[in-house]
Amino acid sequence: MKGKNEKELALLAKAGADFASKILAPNREESDNFPFGPLFTDALAQAFDLGFFHAALPEDMEGFGERLSPLCSLLENIAKDDASLAAIILSNAFAQNLLLEAGETELLKGIAAGAENYAGILIGSQVFCDPSETPPALYAKKDGNDWLLNGKSPYVVLGGLAKRVLVPALVEKKELAFFLAEVEPAGISVSEPVFSLGVHACPAYDLEFKNAKARFLGQPGKAGEIFASVAGRMHLAAASVLSGIMKGSVKEALDYAKKRFQGGKPIIRWSEMQMILGGMAQKSRISEMAVTEACRLFDSGDSRKGSACLAAFLHCAESAIEVTTDGIQALGGVGYMKDFGQEKRFRDAQHLTAVFGILPKKKLRYLQKAMLGE
């Protein structure tokens, strides 16, 4: 096997699990208060030092290359305890892959090599919006040798946290293309963090551009193709986050059912509770298997890798909604309280099903491409 060996991959996964259980889990409720409380910047700094934001980069940039299994393993292990950091890594990996797909390898190499902190390596993007489905309200025009952006880009994930943003814009109000812009020093107004349904500590911002200088990426009219190609494989990374959320739900529900007594015995001895827990564990296990198999197909270059990535995501998305809903039921009244993690996992799962575009359109795309060959 080329590149990093299995021992290094296992160490990455273990580092993610240890970091999540020791650093993220104890502060999960406080971190989830963002934007009404502080952002977990200390955790971001430690995640940068551990190389989590480099995981999706090529090996010559200190990453794990083109294989998806290292990134998926890291995301799943982190998401078991707190999906917000996993969502940040996922969003940044998506933006990094957009640069690679646009042929900007040297640009990305310079960003990775020059990053001195998490803000330097993070890249903001509209990871929840497919530009071919929702045309941008951002326009690019040539001004001598420069490109200038004018208009608005809503819900740019990491947009107020990262040093750079990667956004789609209409060139001369006609063709769609991607642009990379520095948030500082001028030309881009950043809103207050947008309060969203889930992953509160993975912040998004509305941006307004006024003659902001930007770098043109790729070719005019190719942004839709670039987005589709990257989203196609990154659906698997998103599936691994959802799988991690499910694993966390199952573990917390089991732990609670063993400790909570009713009618003179722990509630795990009641048949109805066993049915709920059994269903949760089954759906979580099948989702894990779907992610593992899709990773194997992708990493081996199998021709079915595209459909496998999307199918794994669709399965994990629907299963995560069911498992987190049952997780709340398993905890009874306290399942709705922030003292436990199930309420957050329920919101996080719902929120993440919309990554790379809305869920129903993904189902139609799977049918059209994988089943009908259109």
Side-chain angles (χ1 to χ4, degrees), residues 242 245-247 249-250 253 275-284 286-287 313-330 342 345-351 353 359 363:
L242 293 164
I245 291 174
M246 282 184 269
K247 284 187 173 182
S249 285
V250 173
M275 292 297 290
I276 293 175
L277 294 174
M280 291 174 64
Q282 166 216 329
K283 291 168 186 171
S284 176
I286 292 175
S287 297
F313 175 82
L314 291 170
H315 177 81
C316 289
E318 294 188 338
S319 296
I321 292 174
E322 295 171 359
V323 168
T324 54
T325 300
D326 288 343
I328 289 179
Q329 294 299 319
Q342 300 293 45
R345 292 190 185 94
F346 173 80
R347 287 186 288 101
D348 290 349
Q350 298 273 349
H351 189 95
T353 59
L359 190 60
K363 277 188 180 179

Side-chain angles (χ1 to χ4, degrees), residues 20 90 98 127 135 149 151 159-160 168 181 194 211 224-225 231 273 302 313 353-354:
L90 170 65
L98 282 180
V127 67
L149 298 180
V194 178
N211 290 324
E225 293 179 26
M273 178 59 71
D302 192 287
F313 175 82
T353 59

Side-chain angles (χ1 to χ4, degrees), residues 33-341:
N33 282 333
F34 187 81
F36 307 110
L39 187 64
F40 55 177
T41 51
D42 288 346
L44 291 175
Q46 293 178 62
F48 173 78
D49 291 339
L50 288 168
F52 291 168
F53 302 131
H54 290 72
L57 294 174
E59 291 188 24
D60 62 352
M61 301 182 201
E62 304 299 323
F64 281 80
E66 296 180 352
R67 298 170 60 192
L68 272 178
S69 51
L71 177 65
C72 289
S73 180
L74 174 66
L75 293 174
E76 185 181 86
N77 279 298
I78 291 176
K80 281 190 289 189
D81 285 303
D82 188 348
S84 289
L85 179 62
I88 290 176
I89 297 172
L90 170 65
S91 178
N92 193 53
F94 169 73
Q96 291 170 338
N97 273 265
L98 282 180
L99 283 175
L100 291 173
E101 190 71 24
E104 300 287 353
T105 303
E106 292 304 314
L107 173 60
L108 181 59
K109 187 178 294 185
I111 292 173
E116 297 179 347
N117 50 43
Y118 64 81
I121 192 69
L122 295 180
I123 303 172
S125 68
Q126 290 178 298
V127 67
F128 285 91
C129 180
D130 184 340
S132 63
E133 296 175 354
T134 308
L138 185 64
Y139 305 97
K141 66 178 180 181
K142 202 71 181 293
D143 182 32
N145 293 324
D146 296 324
W147 283 94
L148 299 179
L149 298 180
N150 284 281
K152 298 180 179 179
S153 289
Y155 210 78
V156 178
V157 177
L158 310 180
L161 189 64
K163 187 176 180 180
R164 304 170 182 84
V165 293
L166 198 163
V167 289
L170 288 171
V171 178
E172 305 296 349
K173 298 188 177 181
K174 294 179 182 177
E175 295 180 313
L176 198 60
F178 278 114
F179 291 84
L180 185 72
E182 302 270 341
V183 177
E184 297 289 345
I188 303 179
S189 300
V190 181
S191 74
E192 294 295 318
V194 178
F195 185 55
S196 54
L197 173 65
V199 289
H200 290 167
C202 176
Y205 304 79
D206 296 332
L207 305 186
E208 184 170 1
F209 298 74
K210 292 183 179 178
N211 290 324
K213 288 186 179 180
R215 174 165 173 159
F216 179 88
L217 305 174
Q219 302 175 25
K222 297 293 184 181
E225 293 179 26
I226 292 173
F227 182 96
S229 178
V230 175
R233 55 182 180 268
M234 294 307 290
H235 271 118
L236 183 52
S240 68
V241 178
L242 293 164
S243 178
I245 291 174
M246 282 184 269
K247 284 187 173 182
S249 285
V250 173
K251 182 179 184 305
E252 184 155 29
L254 274 172
D255 291 345
Y256 181 83
K258 292 175 183 174
K259 297 174 183 175
R260 171 70 172 167
F261 277 69
Q262 194 169 47
K265 59 184 179 181
I267 60 175
I268 197 171
R269 298 300 178 194
W270 292 98
S271 59
E272 183 60 27
M273 178 59 71
Q274 291 175 351
M275 292 297 290
I276 293 175
L277 294 174
M280 291 174 64
Q282 166 216 329
K283 291 168 186 171
S284 176
R285 178 64 178 134
I286 292 175
S287 297
E288 180 187 16
M289 292 165 60
V291 171
T292 301
E293 174 63 7
C295 280
R296 187 188 67 79
L297 292 175
F298 186 91
D299 292 348
S300 65
D302 192 287
S303 60
R304 299 165 293 176
K305 61 184 180 182
S307 61
C309 291
L310 184 53
F313 175 82
L314 291 170
H315 177 81
C316 289
E318 294 188 338
S319 296
I321 292 174
E322 295 171 359
V323 168
T324 54
T325 300
D326 288 343
I328 289 179
Q329 294 299 319
L331 268 66
V334 301
Y336 294 96
M337 298 178 69
K338 292 183 178 295
D339 308 58
F340 295 82

